[in-house]
Amino acid sequence: MRKDVKRGTMEDRIRKLYVEVSSRCNLQCKMCFRHSWVGERFGDLDPKMFKQLLEDTALNEAETVFFGGMGEPLVHPKLTEMVSLAAKADKKVELITNGTLLGRETIQALLTAGISRIWVSIDELYENYDKIQIGSDFDLVRGNLETINILRKGTNVRLGMTAVVMRDNIASLRRIRDFAERFQADDLNLSHMIPNRQEDIAQALWPMCDVAGIKAYTDGKSPVWRFEKVDESIEFPMFKFSERYKKELFPNEESLLEAELFSWKGKPVTRRINYCRFIEEGQCFVRWDGDVSPCMGLLHTADTYLGDHKRRIRHHSFGNVYRQSLEEIWNSEEYRNFRERVHEFYFSPCLFCGGCEQLKENETDCIGSPAPTCGGCLWGQGFAVCP
């Protein structure tokens, strides 16, 4: 992104706090990053620390507390109590779950505690469900969704559904949309898959999409890469496939309209380019062990793939709430400088490059950006999307 491009205003306070209450999970979903974690541990957040977090001045203006990360929140034995604490602190409270642990008693406890929205991951339907959400049971989850709708009737609690879209389930996308409507979902979140194992490279659909062109410019010292379209308001469809790939993915379709397939409640699914919602909208992550990260992508160290290139994304923390206040961490010079750098999005375009040594990790890039770099981030280009 050129330095003379105006980016608008970036939130300077925490508006949405993501809390990874546990890195444990009861499933082994096909697309999960946990398959390729490097040196990561499993554990739960201390509820006493969560209570302390809510009292931190960094959250004075926070609107939402979101229970989610790389684990299943409902495996934490004290989750309902933490939901209640956040609701009593006058925050909107959301969580994302694979749905298997949403029995009637748990749902009722969450509603009583003050949950605002429940997101359920539905990445396949019917006969193919357990091929992707491994260890789960479709009939169980479907029954739990029915119970949610019975118990939330007459309340303001919202139901959201989210799906990671890949080659194996793209043909079911319209059914996923219809399924969400059938179960009265208020919100639908679709995201591309980020491959984390070599055998899953072919599952990635984002390389099949039309994207804005890339050009190299020079400031007299080194090449500076930027998108041909630099207006920060520009958005492009996440699933706008090139013509050749439409025929490959949907060989039996006589016609394929993105507006028909990839819309929700009459609105097309679009995302901005060179835009990090986590940074721009004042979002922050606290990991189960207290580490503070700026985004989902930097929450844990894992191996991923960009095309055929293996890339290690290293966890990055700006501090730990067991040793510092969240206010101190959020306002530290290092964290503030990083947010400004992402706001400008002055990085190499690793997603669309042929590859170099710097692509192997997120430590630096070809224009010398310090760690962590974001030019290879699928979230930053609107392909990976979190609720």
Side-chain angles (χ1 to χ4, degrees), residues 216-283:
Y217 296 81
T218 179
D219 57 7
K221 298 178 182 179
S222 59
V224 176
W225 298 86
R226 71 170 175 84
F227 280 90
E228 177 70 357
K229 299 177 181 179
V230 294
D231 184 340
E232 79 268 14
S233 67
I234 289 175
E235 297 184 348
F236 69 93
M238 289 173 56
F239 298 103
K240 183 175 176 58
F241 294 109
S242 300
E243 288 298 323
R244 57 171 291 200
Y245 292 117
K246 288 182 187 178
K247 296 178 181 178
E248 177 183 336
L249 294 171
F250 304 96
N252 299 322
E253 295 284 351
E254 293 182 4
S255 63
L256 186 67
L257 301 176
E258 283 85 0
E260 175 188 347
L261 275 172
F262 311 117
S263 63
W264 176 245
K265 296 189 176 180
K267 297 181 179 180
V269 180
T270 60
R271 293 294 183 270
R272 292 184 176 186
I273 61 175
N274 286 351
Y275 179 88
C276 176
R277 288 185 58 189
F278 301 118
I279 296 299
E280 299 292 339
E281 299 172 20
Q283 301 177 10

Side-chain angles (χ1 to χ4, degrees), residues 70 278 285 295-300 313-315 362 377 379:
M70 293 298 178
F278 301 118
F285 285 73
C295 65
M296 180 69 81
L298 298 175
L299 200 57
H300 294 276
I313 303 301
R314 296 192 178 277
H315 160 62
N362 60 333
C377 178
W379 279 276

Side-chain angles (χ1 to χ4, degrees), residues 347-360:
F347 300 105
S348 302
C350 302
L351 259 68
F352 312 101
C353 179
C356 66
E357 284 299 308
Q358 283 79 18
L359 185 67
K360 293 181 179 179

